[in-house]
Amino acid sequence: MPDIFGVIADATRRDILQLLLERHLRDEEISVSEIVGNLEISQPTVSKHLKVLREAELVTVREDGQHRFYSLDPEPLEMIEDFVIPFLSAGFDTEVTVEYLSEDGERVAGPDSADPFGDEGEVLSEEAAAAAEKIGRAAALAEHRVKELVARFKLRG
């Protein structure tokens, strides 16, 4: 597989990826002739760049007779996201502070304290623990998306 950074370094390929993204968001494909028309570059040039994008597995192609229809496969771009986000979010404080409150709103000891509830450390039932784990995963995903949006905002700003 080609180096993904080298593949997206080319401005024409980034323009093609942008077109493909617009179609991807609408769950549509795009033909080579539509790409040529939108970017106002030659068909051989578009075909050359699409070949590079195919080899990098950034696009998929569906053939219908002599026509080819392209779709974006954004998954390989996640490698770039994984690499870049830590640099863009450096310096952001993402530590979460958790307080445990009673039904009256008073602060109580959390599950890490020494047996605060007298039940040998079990604070949540299995069902509640499973739900809490799902919530934790959703929160982690949300944090990742927020960092991503902040990074994109910084790039535009």
Side-chain angles (χ1 to χ4, degrees):
M1 183 170 165
D3 177 33
I4 193 81
F5 289 97
V7 171
I8 65 167
D10 184 89
T12 301
R13 286 193 285 270
R14 288 194 309 271
D15 290 342
I16 292 171
L17 286 171
Q18 188 65 46
L19 280 175
L20 289 164
L21 174 61
E22 291 167 10
R23 294 296 176 100
H24 177 77
L25 295 173
R26 297 190 313 240
D27 200 27
E28 297 175 357
E29 301 170 315
I30 189 168
S31 69
V32 174
S33 61
E34 289 176 286
I35 295 171
V36 168
N38 276 289
L39 298 181
E40 299 179 355
I41 54 179
S42 72
Q43 186 274 327
T45 300
V46 169
S47 293
K48 177 187 81 166
H49 288 295
L50 285 169
K51 180 181 182 210
V52 173
L53 293 170
R54 266 194 328 270
E55 290 172 352
E57 300 177 0
L58 286 167
V59 300
T60 58
V61 62
R62 180 180 64 84
E63 295 183 22
D64 185 8
Q66 292 185 354
H67 301 283
R68 287 181 170 77
F69 297 92
Y70 286 85
S71 300
L72 176 68
D73 183 357
E75 189 174 330
L77 295 170
E78 290 177 9
M79 291 185 335
I80 293 173
E81 177 185 45
D82 293 343
F83 179 80
V84 172
I85 292 297
F87 292 95
L88 297 174
S89 61
F92 284 99
D93 183 17
T94 58
E95 186 175 322
V96 176
T97 303
V98 177
E99 289 184 351
Y100 295 89
L101 305 176
S102 69
E103 289 181 14
D104 300 329
E106 293 183 33
R107 198 176 200 176
V108 295
D112 293 335
S113 60
D115 199 15
F117 298 102
D119 55 5
E120 299 174 15
E122 184 176 325
V123 177
L124 300 174
S125 67
E126 278 187 44
E127 295 83 17
E133 182 178 343
K134 287 180 182 177
I135 291 169
R137 287 182 182 164
L141 178 61
E143 177 186 10
H144 175 74
R145 293 296 177 208
V146 167
K147 285 181 178 180
E148 177 183 73
L149 291 171
V150 168
R152 288 181 183 170
F153 180 76
K154 283 180 130 183
L155 286 176
R156 290 183 186 158

